[in-house]
Amino acid sequence: MFDELYLIVPELGTQDEIGVFRKTGPEKRRRVLCEAGGIRRSEWAAAGAAGHRPELVVTIPYVDYQGETEADYRGQRYSIYRTYPVNDGWDVELYLEMKDGVRDEQKH
């Protein structure tokens, strides 16, 4: 069954002279259809060893992915920590995790 996923292009901005990020435009979201699944045990172990906390894997058509690093699935914001092409390159798996900074941005 297909579900909605929003790929997030982060807000535009610049750093001022003391290094503070100043927003210059809103973030953009693109809606795509996905199939969601659970994380395999081997992925859980490998990702954990690399310092990630995997939550979910979603599969979308390869042409819909443009290098985004964040996504919104069912109202939860995630960081995309890994991608993997599947189905002879027609689709791509996006491996999602919740990160503190990403989770905090959702509250604003």
Side-chain angles (χ1 to χ4, degrees):
M1 184 167 125
F2 290 100
D3 210 347
E4 291 182 345
L5 175 77
Y6 291 91
L7 295 171
I8 300 170
V9 177
E11 298 169 344
L12 299 174
T14 59
Q15 278 189 324
D16 65 15
E17 60 278 354
I18 60 170
V20 176
F21 181 78
R22 304 283 182 201
K23 297 177 188 176
T24 59
E27 72 180 18
K28 296 180 182 175
R29 294 171 172 248
R30 291 188 310 107
R31 180 180 159 259
V32 298
L33 294 178
C34 73
E35 285 187 89
I39 298 292
R40 292 178 197 87
R41 189 179 313 186
S42 58
E43 174 65 24
W44 181 266
H52 296 288
R53 296 180 299 190
E55 297 272 339
L56 183 67
V57 61
V58 295
T59 304
I60 65 171
Y62 188 81
V63 298
D64 287 340
Y65 184 63
Q66 299 174 2
E68 293 87 353
T69 58
E70 294 180 13
D72 182 311
Y73 180 72
R74 294 188 175 178
Q76 291 291 324
R77 193 166 178 143
Y78 295 93
S79 174
I80 301 169
Y81 71 89
R82 183 168 90 85
T83 62
Y84 187 76
V86 293
N87 301 329
D88 292 326
W90 289 101
D91 297 319
V92 62
E93 290 179 338
L94 307 179
Y95 290 83
L96 308 178
E97 69 177 333
M98 292 183 89
K99 283 189 169 179
D100 292 334
V102 172
R103 193 174 328 143
D104 291 343
E105 289 177 20
Q106 180 178 341
K107 296 175 186 172
H108 297 329

